[in-house]
Amino acid sequence: MQGKGLMMQGRVITAYGRHYTVQCEDGQTRQSYTRGKKTGICVGDYVRVQLQGQEEASIEEVLPRHNLLYRSDEMRSKQFAANVDQLLVVVALSPSFNDDLLGRSLTGAWSVGIQPTILLNKVDLAEGYQQARARLAPYEALGVHIIETSITDETKLRNDLTPLLRDKTNLLLGQSAMGKSSILNVIVPHAKAHTQEHSVALGTGKHTTTTTTLYALPALNASIIDSPGFQSFGLKHLGLTEVVQGFPEFAPYIEQCRFYNCTHLHEPGCGVLQALKDGEIQASRHELYERILSESLAPPKY
C-alpha cells in the first residue's frame, strides 16, 4: 500500500467546488482537495498530487495549460475545461438547434485554438434534414467538419467517431435534447449518462448532465469531456483580440485595415467591412461578431 507523502501526476476528471477526482498515473482515481486558497482548478487540468493514503490526495500544483474554456453570463465567468484539442458540438434535426448558440461555441473554440467539429445527430429522421444542412452550410464553408450521426446504428456511430477521437482530448457539448448523452453512452458505455425524452410541448429539453466529467479512452489514447447541456454560451471574458480570433474568416482581410486597433465595426478603411460589403464575409457572421464584441466590451453588471 502506498503511504502518505508520495508525489504523483494525474488529471482532474471531476470538479465540485474545492473537491476533485483525479485519475493518477498509477491508474487509480483519488478524491483530492486543495490546501489554502488554491482555486481555479478544472476538469482536464494536469496536476501534481501528494498521496494521503490509498484513496485520497492533495493537489500541490497545476501544470501549465495549453488552453482553457469558460462559460460566462452577464454576472460571471467560470472555467470548466482545460487542455482540450477538439470541440464536438452536437446539433440535431429535431428539436431545432440554436444558430446563435452554435456560432458562439465555435467562436469560443477558435478563440483559444481548438478545432471544432459539428455532429449532426438524428439523421434517421427524414423531416428537417435539408433545412439543417442548409443552416450548417456557412460553417462547412469555413472548413468545419460536419459528421452525420444517428444512434439507431451504434456500430456505424462508433466506427465514424473513433478516428475522430483518437489521440485527442475531446469536449462534447450540445444543447439539451440534441442527443449528446445518447452519443456518449455509445462511445463510453460505462458513462451511463442519463437520457431523457425532451418536452415536445416546449421543443427543448431539461438538463440531464449536471457536472462536467472526463472519461478516459485508453484504447484510443484519448479522452472525452462531457459537459452539461447548455442553453447559453456567454463569451464576456474574451477581449477584442480573442473575439477576432474566434472569427477565422476575418484573418485574410485584417491586414488591409487602415488602423492597427480596428474593431471592424465602423472604422474607415476596414478590410473586414469591405469584405463584408463584397460578400466575402457572411452578414450573419459579422452580426454575431458585433453582438459578442458589444457584450465583452460592456461594463460589468452588479
Side-chain angles (χ1 to χ4, degrees):
M1 177 171 161
Q2 288 155 331
K4 293 185 179 182
L6 188 66
M7 296 293 287
M8 196 174 280
Q9 282 194 23
R11 196 171 194 191
V12 177
I13 61 174
T14 64
Y16 307 87
R18 288 188 163 207
H19 298 273
Y20 308 91
T21 310
V22 174
Q23 178 96 46
C24 295
E25 59 189 323
D26 64 354
Q28 288 217 41
T29 57
R30 290 179 172 83
Q31 297 309 307
S32 304
Y33 54 87
T34 57
R35 298 189 215 259
K37 295 185 177 180
K38 198 184 283 111
T39 57
I41 301 168
C42 65
V43 171
D45 269 328
Y46 292 99
V47 294
R48 292 182 75 238
V49 299
Q50 188 169 43
L51 302 191
Q52 306 294 326
Q54 187 71 4
E55 297 178 358
E56 293 190 351
S58 62
I59 296 174
E60 302 297 321
E61 182 186 0
V62 179
L63 300 177
R65 301 163 169 144
H66 65 259
N67 57 42
L68 183 60
L69 277 168
Y70 293 80
R71 291 169 180 265
S72 65
D73 56 26
E74 290 180 353
M75 302 301 290
R76 66 191 183 122
S77 295
K78 183 185 178 187
Q79 55 195 50
F80 75 105
N83 301 309
V84 174
D85 300 308
Q86 177 170 231
L87 173 66
L88 303 174
V89 190
V90 183
V91 298
L93 301 194
S94 175
S96 183
F97 58 89
N98 183 309
D99 288 291
D100 184 78
L101 214 47
L102 175 58
R104 284 169 182 272
S105 60
L106 298 183
T107 293
W110 277 318
S111 73
V112 290
I114 295 170
Q115 175 63 41
T117 297
I118 296 171
L119 305 184
L120 177 58
N121 197 29
K122 308 186 188 180
V123 291
D124 51 296
L125 306 175
E127 199 173 335
Y129 176 78
Q130 296 300 336
Q131 296 95 311
R133 287 298 319 202
R135 287 167 63 194
L136 295 177
Y139 306 111
E140 203 164 22
L142 295 175
V144 180
H145 195 188
I146 297 171
I147 294 182
E148 298 184 357
T149 58
S150 167
I151 60 157
T152 55
D153 186 342
E154 292 190 4
T155 303
K156 182 179 186 305
L157 177 63
R158 210 175 284 113
N159 291 342
D160 287 348
L161 294 187
T162 294
L164 195 69
L165 301 172
R166 193 181 298 279
D167 300 325
K168 296 184 181 80
T169 294
N170 304 276
L171 174 63
L172 190 63
L173 207 60
Q175 284 172 263
S176 299
M178 295 289 124
K180 175 177 69 72
S181 294
S182 300
I183 290 173
L184 180 71
N185 284 335
V186 173
I187 302 168
V188 191
H190 63 269
K192 295 186 174 65
H194 300 293
T195 55
Q196 186 173 331
E197 287 298 312
H198 72 276
S199 162
V200 176
L202 296 175
T204 184
K206 294 181 180 176
H207 291 243
T208 52
T209 311
T210 55
T211 55
T212 300
T213 305
L214 182 146
Y215 300 96
L217 304 170
L220 301 178
N221 186 36
S223 54
I224 190 158
I225 299 174
D226 181 37
S227 196
F230 64 103
Q231 310 298 13
S232 64
F233 199 92
L235 296 168
K236 192 165 173 54
H237 59 282
L238 299 181
L240 171 63
T241 304
E242 291 86 7
V243 175
V244 171
Q245 282 171 350
F247 289 81
E249 69 267 44
F250 290 9
Y253 308 105
I254 286 173
E255 49 204 55
Q256 298 163 23
C257 292
R258 187 185 302 172
F259 304 108
Y260 78 93
N261 58 348
C262 188
T263 64
H264 320 301
L265 293 178
H266 47 68
E267 292 86 349
C270 171
V272 171
L273 290 176
Q274 186 59 48
L276 176 66
K277 187 178 176 183
D278 295 342
E280 300 293 330
I281 289 172
Q282 293 163 41
S284 61
R285 291 281 296 161
H286 192 269
E287 286 160 13
L288 176 62
Y289 167 77
E290 197 165 347
R291 285 198 299 280
I292 292 171
L293 191 60
S294 67
E295 288 163 18
S296 74
L297 297 180
K301 295 184 180 180
Y302 296 105

